[in-house]
Amino acid sequence: MEITITNDDSLTTYAFLYDVNGKREILRNETRNRSYKLIYPNLKAGTYYLLISSLWDIHYGGYTIENKFIPQNIKGDKEPNDNINNAVDVSIPSVISGTLGYYGNEKQDRDDFFKFHIPQEMDLDIYLTEEPTLITYIFIYNENKQEIARNDIGVSDYQISLKLKPGTYYIQVNSIGNHLYGGYYIGLNRQVPSLFIETPKKAEEETANIIKITNPINNHTYAVIDKNLSWEEAKDFCENMGGHLATITSLRRTKIY
């Protein structure tokens, strides 16, 4: 959702966007520019409220509002399916699509659940691809709702291969982080086209000496970057490359000989 407000020269305004209840403020713009924008990239479908307020009593005049709705590229899943009891039935083979991270009614959609049935023992390949603005974990549960597999690497495209006995199974797709949103495709014994878009390397990335290391325990990939940066610069550098700055959360003593 993109809203553009343009004031007369004699008027200065603030704009406030409210949730579907008309009470919870979810976005504001307090600039004193004659023309400004309110942009919310991940709103659920629904009715929202916009308040335009004059900054000072001495200001007066008119304004215009231009509203631009930017639809999601990928068709959303059937809601509500944010818990295992409301899982949406899917067939095998098939390709299903969904969206995560969209906000509305004081809640962000963080989980999608799907359910499928296996009539006889079979091999199942589950493929998932997601848009660059989204990072997901995927979990597989049996009919007793016990986890039997997961992929929590946090990469854009991945595959899970399983040998399953007859029964009912569930798939949970979980969005990582409140600020991430976007669409995804899941293929059940059917491959899906990649949605990953590799951003062009910046000149500073090309000059940095980057060594990639994969942890065999969790299959996470890390990069050692030989570049003189502050903490904030390093954080931005890693995020621009599509990753995250590694953080030390525990202390382990190591003897050096």
Side-chain angles (χ1 to χ4, degrees):
M1 178 71 71
E2 180 180 299
I3 303 170
T4 302
I5 296 97
T6 303
N7 303 313
D8 288 345
D9 291 335
S10 58
L11 180 67
T12 301
T13 63
Y14 286 166
F16 305 85
L17 183 65
Y18 289 88
D19 203 350
V20 294
N21 58 12
K23 298 178 181 179
R24 181 182 177 86
E25 179 191 318
I26 59 176
L27 188 64
R28 67 166 62 187
N29 188 301
E30 294 182 338
T31 65
R32 300 182 182 180
N33 297 333
R34 180 173 178 270
S35 180
Y36 56 90
K37 295 179 185 289
L38 287 177
I39 301 174
Y40 206 111
N42 54 322
L43 279 180
K44 291 182 181 178
T47 301
Y48 296 84
Y49 297 84
L50 180 67
L51 168 64
I52 306 295
S53 176
S54 175
L55 181 57
W56 293 302
D57 292 339
I58 60 174
H59 281 207
Y60 63 92
Y63 58 87
T64 61
I65 300 175
E66 181 183 354
N67 180 30
K68 183 188 296 184
F69 173 68
I70 305 172
Q72 164 67 24
N73 294 324
I74 297 175
K75 182 180 178 181
D77 43 293
K78 185 178 179 181
E79 297 287 353
N81 66 335
D82 53 359
N83 62 66
I84 200 167
N85 296 320
N86 291 329
V88 174
D89 282 293
V90 295
S91 59
I92 299 175
S94 67
V95 174
I96 53 181
S97 64
T99 56
L100 284 173
Y102 287 80
Y103 181 88
N105 199 21
E106 300 188 15
K107 185 179 179 181
Q108 188 175 31
D109 183 17
R110 294 283 303 279
D111 295 282
D112 288 339
F113 283 85
F114 302 94
K115 177 171 61 176
F116 60 92
H117 305 277
I118 300 292
Q120 60 187 15
E121 186 172 310
M122 66 180 296
D123 294 327
L124 177 66
D125 291 322
I126 302 174
Y127 304 90
L128 189 141
T129 182
E130 59 206 12
E131 291 186 298
T133 54
L134 180 67
I135 301 176
T136 61
Y137 289 162
I138 187 170
F139 304 88
I140 313 300
Y141 303 94
N142 61 19
E143 58 188 12
N144 297 320
K145 301 177 182 178
Q146 298 171 326
E147 182 186 319
I148 60 172
R150 68 164 62 187
N151 186 305
D152 58 2
I153 297 176
V155 296
S156 296
D157 299 326
Y158 52 80
Q159 172 186 350
I160 297 177
S161 297
L162 302 169
K163 191 173 189 66
L164 298 178
K165 296 180 179 180
T168 299
Y169 296 87
Y170 301 87
I171 301 174
Q172 176 189 5
V173 188
N174 171 255
S175 171
I176 303 173
N178 293 325
H179 61 288
L180 298 179
Y181 64 93
Y184 61 85
Y185 288 112
I186 294 178
L188 303 178
N189 275 354
R190 185 171 291 175
Q191 289 190 322
V192 291
S194 174
L195 294 172
F196 176 69
I197 301 174
E198 186 173 4
T199 56
K201 288 186 176 181
K202 297 180 180 180
E204 61 179 13
E205 295 176 21
E206 295 176 350
T207 58
N209 183 17
I210 302 176
I211 303 173
K212 292 186 177 181
I213 301 172
T214 300
N215 185 342
I217 297 176
N218 57 18
N219 206 29
H220 289 190
T221 299
Y222 300 88
V224 180
I225 302 172
D226 183 12
K227 192 172 180 65
N228 187 19
L229 299 171
S230 67
W231 189 91
E232 289 291 344
E233 291 172 337
K235 179 176 179 294
D236 292 340
F237 184 89
C238 293
E239 291 176 356
N240 288 337
M241 293 180 64
H244 302 280
L245 180 62
T247 303
I248 299 173
T249 58
S250 62
L251 177 64
R252 176 176 296 180
R253 296 188 178 185
T254 303
K255 291 184 177 180
I256 301 176
Y257 297 92

